Amino acid sequence: MAANWKMYKTASQTVAYFERFRPLLQGPSPCDIVICPPMLSLPAAVSAASGSNIAIGGQNMYWEKEGAYTGEISGEMLYAEGASWVLVGHSERRRLFCENDSDVLKKAQAAIEANLSPIICMGERLDEHKAGKAYDVLIRQFASGVAGLTEEQFAKTSIAYEPIWAIGTGQTATPDIASEAHQIIRSEVEKRFGSDAAAAVRIIYGGSVKPDNIAGLMAEPDIDGVLVGGASLDPVSFAKIVQAA
Ligand code: 13P
């Protein structure tokens, strides 16, 4: 159950969030909980989450370890600050910052090298969805991105299916639509990495996940978790989503 806060919350707002969020989680969680704050708030999140089973992730990273890359942050730097996960290839990164599948692959490989677990994001645009091309897009993104990982690297990777038309629009993919897309991705995993990898990989769904639609999504066997944007900004609503899992 992962939260992508995008460009929201300062360090002090992050601390206030954890003060409210942590008491809402009752008992040991049967699932991994990951919160991805903005980079500047990440150290505050790591310290506010300490002693809990909430892990912290970056929202992006560069694939080089260090160097003259103005404005960038490496996987090693994220790891040194206490992150254990990182989102890679979010559609906002692809659309607004021109990332392509080969960048996504390099970032995922560098993340693993830096001891981070990458969550590789993929998903189709509205026009592609309407034209019935969603599966072609997923297969293409898989082939030119994820498929370049070794089996060992893939074992440390999760995939997020985030149809772009569902992100921030309130238009969640129905459990059926999401589940079918997850099955397509899982079958690509099976072809490339084998059936054990296909059974083990976590494929999570993102796009307008809310407390009132989480139950239907999580009831699908092929949906292993969710990546939540807007609804994760409110500790009460993200706690409800986590509890539903
Ligand atoms: P929303 O939950 O706001 O639709 O965002 C989804 C997302 O992009 C998570 O990475």
Side-chain angles (χ1 to χ4, degrees):
M1 308 305 280
N4 174 10
W5 283 359
K6 308 193 178 182
M7 200 171 73
Y8 291 98
K9 295 195 193 293
T10 61
S12 61
Q13 288 168 334
T14 298
V15 172
Y17 181 97
F18 276 84
E19 275 167 11
R20 185 90 175 85
F21 181 62
R22 284 184 61 164
L24 297 171
L25 299 178
Q26 289 144 13
S29 169
C31 57
D32 284 328
I33 304 168
V34 183
I35 293 183
C36 303
M39 297 291 189
L40 278 178
S41 302
L42 192 136
V46 168
S47 111
S50 96
S52 76
N53 62 343
I54 306 163
I56 304 303
Q59 296 176 11
N60 177 41
M61 54 169 273
Y62 193 54
W63 57 77
E64 295 289 353
K65 287 188 171 63
E66 58 184 9
Y69 305 105
T70 302
E72 292 297 318
I73 284 172
S74 69
E76 279 73 10
M77 289 170 178
L78 280 174
Y79 184 75
E81 290 302 324
S84 43
W85 295 77
V86 64
L87 304 179
V88 175
H90 190 279
S91 61
E92 286 150 18
R93 299 285 329 161
R94 293 175 187 256
R95 182 167 55 86
L96 301 168
F97 305 100
C98 306
E99 284 185 17
N100 59 35
D101 289 327
S102 95
D103 298 337
V104 171
L105 174 60
K106 282 189 271 187
K107 289 185 178 201
Q109 288 167 326
I112 293 161
E113 186 101 338
N115 278 317
L116 300 169
S117 303
I119 300 175
I120 300 182
C121 306
M122 55 177 67
E124 78 284 2
R125 298 189 309 259
L126 180 62
D127 59 317
E128 294 164 331
H129 177 70
K130 281 191 171 153
K133 298 223 168 87
Y135 300 163
D136 296 343
V137 172
L138 294 177
I139 291 167
R140 191 192 68 224
Q141 287 179 345
F142 186 90
S144 46
V146 186
L149 296 171
T150 64
E151 282 173 30
E152 205 183 317
Q153 288 169 335
F154 184 73
K156 296 173 182 155
T157 300
S158 303
I159 296 176
Y161 168 58
E162 295 208 305
I164 295 167
W165 49 269
I167 295 179
T169 58
Q171 263 202 298
T172 330
T174 61
D176 279 354
I177 292 177
S179 175
E180 274 176 37
H182 285 216
Q183 284 163 31
I184 295 292
I185 297 169
R186 209 177 289 281
S187 76
E188 293 306 297
V189 172
E190 184 166 4
K191 282 185 231 159
R192 167 65 184 86
F193 296 105
S195 52
D196 287 353
V201 65
R202 284 182 284 186
I203 306 179
I204 64 177
Y205 166 79
S208 296
V209 174
K210 305 271 184 283
D212 63 5
N213 58 32
I214 182 68
L217 290 163
M218 290 308 294
E220 294 292 336
D222 264 304
I223 300 180
D224 302 316
V226 285
L227 178 53
V228 190
S232 74
L233 294 172
D234 171 30
V236 175
S237 112
F238 189 51
K240 281 188 189 150
I241 290 171
V242 171
Q243 296 296 352

